Amino acid sequence: MSHTSLPPLPSSDRVDVAARLRDALLGASFTADGMLDLLGAPAYAALARSETVPALRATRGDTPLETLVRLFLLQQPVPHARVADVLPVEDCLESGWLTRVGGDEVTATVDVRPYGGPGGEDWFIVSDLGCAVGGAGGIGSREEGVVLGVGGASTTLAGITVREPVAAALDLGTGSGIQALHAAQHATRVTATDLNPRALHATALTLALSGAPAADLREGSLFEPVPDDETYDLIVSNPPFVISPDARLTYRDGGMGGDDLCRTLVQQAGDRLNEGGYAQFLANWQHVEGEDWQDRLRSWVPRGCDAWIVQREVQDITQYAELWLRDAGDHRSDPAEYQARYDAWLDEFEARKVKAVGFGWITLRRTAAVEPSITVEEWPHPVEQPLGDTVRAHFARVDFLRASDDAALLAGHFRLTAEVVQEQVGLPGAEDPEHVVLRQNRGMRRATKVDTVGAGFAGVCDGTLSAGRILDAIAQLVGEDPVLLRDRTPGQIRLLVEQGFLEPAE
């Protein structure tokens, strides 16, 4: 892979310079919070839309923070003397973080983006100029090996990842290193791989500038750099999942036909997981004529793994093609070239009988269970990130329900989970509601319809009484045979536990 037209990245060997640069950035409050204070909410939000004029207007002064924003975020030339007041400028020039332009000005060679960690950490993500999502020019390069910064997909994956102390974590397709940076906070050993050697270089810079331990960086596609006998407690990947007719852009195009890259990634992950370990991916998948998309995804799940697959969005093939052509800036090119590329995407989809493309999350967990659990669902509604604890709780409920028959459920003690509310829907003035809805205000923010018995049961669950005793009391109140009520209610209890409305009290 050749990147001769891309400028060289700063030296990743000069960790001493990275440490001094980090100290200078923090000393000037070049952090996510500091940027928000300086720019104000409107200009800060405009940067996320790749609009730089408000930020340029907000940084017309000569404070250290304004200097750094113009230098690293807006990629503007800044007088050498002004930079020297803020940064170890000669060290930064020597190691390649800065370069001279004109007579007495310097510019940044990379985009350095402040990023707030989940525990309040001040981190910095290094990417190619103009390629931080929401950067000075949006994704302004169509070079094959360009390295992007942090975007919505990156933060989504970081938010859904289960965070618990582990011995070994693997970030597959690391890009600018954001997932490796998160993993370094709770994994003893982090391995990061990428087909693009420039991405591995950027990851080393991201980790060094963020004050995180170095990762074991390996070049190669998918699991190729990982020996067959090397296993992990956590595998994460925001892969090049875009279903495209070519492999033009390394950061997004997987180079395999259709959704084969995502399928291969999921199928190969099972053998790389330790018992109880998680593999979590973002993915695209095809909706093919005459085929159930859920069955398609179930077929991907490797043996010996539980799975939770959530489809968050579906786009028809024209929307999908337009999204990614615009992502690459093709809509700004020659109209005939844009039309030809658009045609090529639609030709590819039609040849594969693809009518739409789904996007979502895939989580695997290695299990010794005889009958693994596979849940495939569509949930396009708002959720509350981070969801790592929600993902972990889902699989804990899978274990509980797998080990509990109806008798065990009736003998069990349950609690209503936090921030669940009840809504009653019916005509004004009606004596009884048409239906009752339980709604979560946290996590997945699910809603489920229940009957009056289910609502009454959930409302009483505080862990004190067994489910059977609660049903006996409800039966007495409503004048129903307690035996019949016990017979027909375990299914509803199982559903409420499965969806996270109730949790075992033990």
Side-chain angles (χ1 to χ4, degrees):
M1 183 185 300
S2 174
H3 308 299
T4 54
S5 59
L6 290 170
L9 294 172
S11 170
S12 58
D13 296 329
R14 295 295 306 273
V15 293
D16 57 326
V17 176
R20 289 198 292 275
L21 177 55
R22 171 178 171 79
D23 288 343
L25 297 178
L26 294 176
S29 296
F30 186 66
T31 63
D33 289 341
M35 281 173 45
L36 180 59
D37 289 342
L38 170 68
L39 301 178
Y44 190 77
L47 270 183
R49 302 189 299 271
S50 300
E51 296 291 347
T52 59
V53 172
L56 286 167
R57 291 173 60 86
T59 56
R60 289 181 290 194
D62 57 1
T63 67
L65 181 54
E66 288 170 297
T67 297
L68 294 176
V69 170
R70 292 183 74 88
L71 189 66
F72 287 117
L73 266 65
L74 303 177
Q75 280 107 51
Q76 299 294 306
V78 180
H80 179 283
R82 186 170 161 190
V83 177
D85 290 337
V86 187
L87 301 178
V89 65
E90 296 306 323
D91 286 339
C92 289
L93 286 166
E94 179 187 352
S95 59
W97 290 94
L98 303 175
T99 187
R100 294 182 185 273
V101 292
D104 63 348
E105 291 186 318
V106 297
T107 62
T109 59
V110 287
D111 185 295
V112 175
R113 183 112 340 201
Y115 179 83
E121 301 92 347
D122 289 314
W123 293 338
F124 302 96
I125 311 302
V126 178
S127 64
D128 275 312
L129 291 174
C131 295
V133 178
I139 299 174
S141 173
R142 280 182 275 173
E143 296 288 348
E144 179 187 2
V146 71
V147 180
L148 299 191
V150 178
S154 303
T155 55
T156 293
L157 179 59
I160 67 173
T161 300
V162 175
R163 304 293 175 193
E164 57 189 10
V166 296
L170 171 64
D171 176 13
L172 195 150
T174 187
S176 57
I178 178 61
Q179 309 305 328
L181 181 56
H182 276 278
Q185 311 308 304
H186 61 98
T188 303
R189 175 172 60 89
V190 176
T191 301
T193 72
D194 206 289
L195 178 65
N196 182 2
R198 189 175 179 87
L200 297 175
H201 192 154
T203 292
L205 297 173
T206 289
L207 294 173
L209 196 57
S210 298
D216 179 3
L217 304 177
R218 304 180 189 177
E219 182 180 343
S221 176
L222 298 180
F223 288 100
E224 287 176 3
V226 182
D228 291 342
D229 60 350
E230 194 170 298
T231 55
Y232 296 87
D233 307 297
L234 175 67
I235 300 172
V236 292
S237 183
N238 176 18
F241 53 67
V242 177
I243 300 172
S244 60
D246 53 38
R248 186 163 54 114
L249 298 174
T250 304
Y251 73 85
R252 71 167 202 194
D253 301 321
M256 296 186 185
D259 52 15
D260 283 354
L261 182 134
C262 291
R263 175 185 56 79
T264 302
L265 176 61
V266 173
Q267 289 179 336
Q268 293 181 353
D271 291 337
R272 310 298 180 138
L273 283 175
N274 294 324
E275 187 70 25
Y278 292 92
Q280 299 187 261
F281 316 111
L282 301 184
N284 275 180
W285 44 80
Q286 297 172 149
H287 285 230
V288 180
E289 290 180 16
E291 178 181 286
D292 186 317
W293 68 270
Q294 294 185 330
D295 290 341
R296 181 182 192 85
L297 290 173
R298 287 189 183 94
S299 73
W300 291 9
V301 178
R303 294 179 62 183
C305 287
D306 293 323
W308 184 21
I309 301 173
V310 182
Q311 180 167 275
R312 294 288 290 154
E313 184 179 2
V314 181
Q315 290 184 315
D316 67 50
I317 56 175
T318 58
Q319 291 175 309
Y320 189 80
E322 290 163 13
L323 169 67
W324 293 109
L325 289 170
R326 288 177 176 273
D327 168 80
D330 291 320
H331 62 300
R332 295 191 295 267
S333 65
D334 177 70
E337 181 182 349
Y338 173 75
Q339 182 175 337
R341 289 193 185 279
Y342 201 150
D343 273 334
W345 282 64
L346 296 185
D347 287 345
E348 178 79 5
F349 285 133
E350 289 174 6
R352 294 179 176 275
K353 298 183 178 180
V354 176
K355 58 184 180 180
V357 177
F359 166 81
W361 319 323
I362 298 176
T363 299
L364 308 177
R365 186 190 60 163
R366 191 75 186 176
T367 180
V370 176
E371 296 185 11
S373 166
I374 300 177
T375 301
V376 183
E377 63 175 321
E378 185 165 18
W379 191 254
H381 311 293
V383 298
E384 182 187 51
Q385 285 273 36
L387 282 168
D389 288 344
T390 299
V391 173
R392 179 169 43 214
H394 167 87
F395 288 98
R397 294 193 299 269
V398 165
D399 288 339
F400 172 80
L401 292 173
R402 190 158 43 201
S404 302
D405 58 16
D406 287 356
L409 289 179
L410 291 172
H413 294 238
F414 299 93
R415 280 193 299 262
L416 189 67
T417 52
E419 297 197 39
V420 172
V421 297
Q422 175 179 305
E423 300 173 358
Q424 296 186 170
V425 180
L427 293 173
E431 184 175 346
D432 297 312
E434 292 180 13
H435 59 262
V436 179
V437 174
L438 299 181
R439 187 179 302 277
Q440 301 167 351
N441 285 323
R442 304 294 297 272
M444 293 294 286
R445 293 181 171 170
R446 296 187 187 277
T448 190
K449 189 185 298 184
V450 294
D451 59 21
T452 53
V453 170
F457 176 85
V460 175
C461 283
D462 61 3
T464 304
L465 299 175
S466 70
R469 291 189 61 186
I470 293 174
L471 290 175
D472 290 343
I474 292 175
Q476 187 175 4
L477 285 173
V478 300
E480 188 170 340
D481 185 333
V483 175
L484 294 177
L485 190 59
R486 279 174 172 256
D487 284 345
R488 69 177 176 85
T489 306
Q492 193 166 179
I493 297 174
R494 189 173 295 275
L495 179 64
L496 290 174
V497 173
E498 180 183 317
Q499 295 190 345
F501 290 92
L502 295 177
E503 60 187 7
E506 294 80 4

